[in-house]
Structure formats: structure tokens, C-alpha cells
Amino acid sequence: MSYSDNMFASLFDKQKANQFNIGNTNYKERVKKLKKLKHALEYTYKQDIRDALYADFKKPQLEVDLTEIYPVIDEIKFVSKNLKTWLKKQQVDTPLAMLGSSSYIINEPKGVCLIISPWNYPVNLTFGPLVSAIAGGNTVILKPSEMTPNTSSLMARIVADLFEENEIALVEGEVKTSKALLELPFNHIFFTGSPTVGKIVMRAASKHLTSVTLELGGKSPTIIDDSVDIDKVVGKIVYGKFMNAGQTCIAPDYVLIDERIKSKFIASFKNQIKTFYNENPESSESYSRIVNEKHFKRLLESLEDSKSRNSKIESGGHTNESENYIEPTLISDLDSKSQLMQEEIFGPVLPLKTYKTLEEAVGYINSKEKPLALYIYSKKKKNINYILDNTRAGTTCVNHNLLQYLNHNLPFGGSNNSGIGKSHGYFGFLEFTNQRSLLKQHTLGAVDLLKPPYTNWKQKIVDLTIKWF
Ligand code: NAD
């Protein structure tokens, strides 16, 4: 079913009326729902998902399987294995001074939740958070991006096929739709997208004091020192950067390299591109397109801006407007005021910036907003620790990139400008639940002896309590 903007309030009310039915489901019932979703992604709709993403931006099938379908299935497996434990009422210690009571933490559902997702990994970033929301026992309205219309309308079909709308519904639409949804008093909003829109979401949420998870973006730096095996490192960076044509929130945004190995990096880069995508990446079936004309033009403008500032294209640089194609591009000698060094690139262009000392590299990173991901390539423990100790970031991977995203035992998310809150595994479950504290008193406790009137012997008990308990 498709929804018009004036239907959102009634959809919200239906979910609100149903929230205790959904919230009171046990772990078996929730796992059953998750398995239904898993089956749909793994079998019923697998080919449709591949087709939709190819139609949207020529995303290669293997990348769809690996980066859209697999992470959600893996999340479902992980959550299904652990949910029984996470939902157990957890007993915690009660201080001696409160003798006669017992204490617990209950992970109760937040209630009615809104998930707003971006276009770059539309299936993964819509259904991934949904897994955590279902695990938490919530009802959910999903709003995917309008920029991948084929995938969004397929996801609407999948959701309508699997769930009743008073439990989970998917609303398609543009910014106007998102804004109309943000007017409603959701109990939690999970937003993935840009820092600019993240601020709009947080402002809207503040009206109802709705809690938020903001999975945002920004510039993710990569530092390479002179101790590395350069071919191995470049291979990993080219893989991480040009997957999804660079449209990945945790892709290496730019490289900071020891100036003594700059030329080795450039030579190795050219070889790796040929190995991965042949002489002409435009004809490679392993390389995506830019999602739409708007983003293609944004990237083109950044390239023009850098050319006007005497930067040097070391490799790539070809474009084809009719296809929204941009060749994997390496660019050096960028001045720090260029758009490519100021804004998140979110495309297949990699700036290479040299440094003389690690202190200089770290100083540069710290002059910017806290990144979502920071990558370190080094064989020297001392250098790795120096960078870790003197920078801040949402996530870090040493001697590789992107992999930190795949371990569900690790929290995933940014810090300040790159995000608020975490996703994945237990951390994602916590975002969609309220840690409700419960204290049960069984017998008369010490505190009951301290009611007014406040006599001298009661004061003595308080003095002793402060001293000894
Ligand atoms: P975006 O912020 O433009 O849009 C995200 C969603 O917000 C879409 O559904 C869109 O319809 C909606 N939206 C856009 N403008 C809005 C407004 N004014 N009011 C309300 N809703 C609005 O982001 P995008 O272009 O889809 O995705 C790219 C950004 O997302 C990059 O910054 C990237 O780093 C980030 N990202 C972060 C993660 C992460 O996990 N941290 C993952 C993927 C992408």
C-alpha cells in the first residue's frame, strides 16, 4: 500500500495502539519475524534486489550480495542467537544500605520508531536497523531514500508482503515526506544520512524529546607511514574506496602519506586499478555508477574546483555524463581550501596529501570534525598507538578498511559530527530499548527507619551509613 502525507498520523496512531501487543512478544516470536525477513532477502526477493540496485546505479551483483544482503542476514543470525539473553530481566547488586530490596534492569521496547535511511546502501541501511528495532519489540515506520526509487519501491513490496502495517510499514517519498513524518511524536528516530540533515532530524526530535540515533558521515582519513608494504596497502585502499563507486560512508575519504613513499603509492595505484577494473573501468561489470545526475554534477564541480587550484590528477579523471560515470581518480597537490579537502567526497575520487611527520598528519586530522572512520596503515606499534592516542573517531581499522563494520561484537557509529549512538548487534538493540530500572522491596529496609521526625539517633545512622556503606 502506498501512503500519502495526510495518512501518516493515522498510520502512527495504528502503530501506537498496537505497540503493547508487539512489545509483549517473547524472544521466539521476535526471532520468527526476523527469520521471515531473512528468508525474503535470501530467497524470495534476492534476484529482485539485485535487479533493483542494478537499475538504480548499476551496482554489481556481487557487491549487492556482499554489502546489501549478507550484512542484514548476518545481523539476523547474530541477533537470533543472542536475543533470549538480551531480553532476560537482568538482576544487579543492591547496596547493603538498601537491605531488603532486589534490583533489575529490563530492556523494554521504546515504542513507535521511525527509521530514515540513505540511498548508498539502501537495503542494508533500511533493514539492518529494522532488525534491531524488531529485536527490541517496537513498531516501525521506515522511510528509505527517494534517490534509489527502484530499490525503495521493492522494499515497500517486501515490507507489505511480510508485515501488517500496524506493526511495520514502509513509506516512500522525498524530503517533504520525511519532514511530515518528523512532525509525529515517535518514541525513537534512527536516522542514517548526512550531518546536515542529521541536525534537522535532531531539531525535529527535540520538539517531542524523542531519542535519536544519528548515523552520519564526514571525511574519513587514512594515514600511511613509511613502514608499510605499499602494494598490499594500496590494494586494500583501492578496494575499500571504489566499492560502490566511493559512495560509502566509511570509505577512505583521503590519504595522508609519508612524503617519502608518495611516488610508490601512485605507481601501485595505477596497477591496482588496471587489475581490478581493466584499462577502461567504464566497461567493467565490477564498477558502479554515481547514483544520479545531481551527485554526478556535485562531484564534477569538485573536480573542476581542484583543477582551478593547480592540483594534479595522478590517475583517472575521465567522466561520462550520459551514464553518471566517473573513473576511479587519484589526485594530489590539493590545497586545503579545495572542495575535495573541505567536504565529504562520497564518490570515486581519492586525494593524496603528504606529510613530513606523524605529528603534522595528526594535527591536520584534529583540525577537522571527528571522523566516522579513521584508518591507520603501519607496521610500527609505536606509530599506531601514537595515532590512536592523539585522535578521536567513531571507528578505526588498523591495516585494512571497512572491515570494522562487519563485526557485530563491535559498536558501529560516529562521534559528534559523525554521529550520535551506535548500531549493530547488542549496541543496536540497546538503541531501540529503554533500560528500565526496577527495584523491588521485600521487607522493611533501613531507609524506612529514617522517616521524619529526624531525631539524633537517626542522624547517627545517616552518619554511619555515609562512613561505612
Ligand atoms: P541525506 O542526509 O541527504 O538523506 C538521508 C535521508 O534523509 C533520505 O531518506 C532523505 O529523503 C532524507 N532527507 C533528506 N533531506 C531531508 C530534510 N531536509 N529533512 C528531512 N529528511 C531529509 O543523505 P544521503 O545523501 O541519502 O546519504 C549520504 C550521507 O549519508 C553521507 O553523508 C554518508 O556519509 C551518510 N551515511 C552514513 C552512514 C553511517 O552508517 N554512518 C551510512 C551511509 C551513509
Side-chain angles (χ1 to χ4, degrees), residues 146-182:
E146 64 281 16
M147 304 224 183
T148 39
N150 294 288
T151 311
S152 291
S153 68
L154 172 63
M155 289 194 291
R157 260 175 56 212
I158 296 175
V159 168
D161 180 16
L162 301 182
F163 302 104
E164 297 295 326
E165 65 167 3
N166 63 357
E167 178 179 6
I168 298 166
L170 188 147
V171 168
E172 286 180 80
E174 306 191 358
V175 173
K176 189 166 113 314
T177 302
S178 210
K179 284 189 166 161
L181 286 166
L182 285 169

Side-chain angles (χ1 to χ4, degrees), residues 116-121 125 143-147 173-175 178-179 182 191-195 197-198 200-201 215-218 248-250 295 344 346 372 405 412-414 418:
I116 302 178
S117 54
W119 52 265
N120 63 328
Y121 290 90
L125 298 174
K143 207 308 269 173
S145 175
E146 64 281 16
M147 304 224 183
E174 306 191 358
V175 173
S178 210
K179 284 189 166 161
L182 285 169
F191 170 81
T192 308
S194 59
V197 181
I200 295 171
V201 170
E215 293 284 351
L216 310 177
T248 302
C249 58
I250 48 169
H295 281 279
E344 178 181 11
F346 223 58
L372 177 58
Y405 182 86
F412 180 81
S418 53

Side-chain angles (χ1 to χ4, degrees), residues 355-391:
Y355 65 83
K356 284 191 173 59
T357 63
L358 267 191
E359 288 76 8
E360 183 192 336
V362 159
Y364 182 79
I365 290 169
N366 289 339
S367 70
K368 309 264 166 209
E369 298 281 8
K370 276 186 208 165
L372 177 58
L374 188 157
Y375 299 114
I376 305 168
Y377 290 88
S378 172
K379 286 183 184 166
K380 292 183 185 161
K381 214 168 158 185
K382 194 170 148 227
N383 286 356
I384 296 169
N385 287 338
Y386 172 77
I387 298 165
L388 281 174
D389 289 348
N390 291 288
T391 56

Side-chain angles (χ1 to χ4, degrees), residues 271-288:
N271 284 335
Q272 294 287 356
I273 293 292
K274 269 187 220 148
T275 314
F276 281 22
Y277 306 113
N278 304 320
E279 290 286 345
N280 178 16
E282 192 169 1
S283 61
S284 166
E285 279 300 313
S286 304
Y287 189 62
S288 308

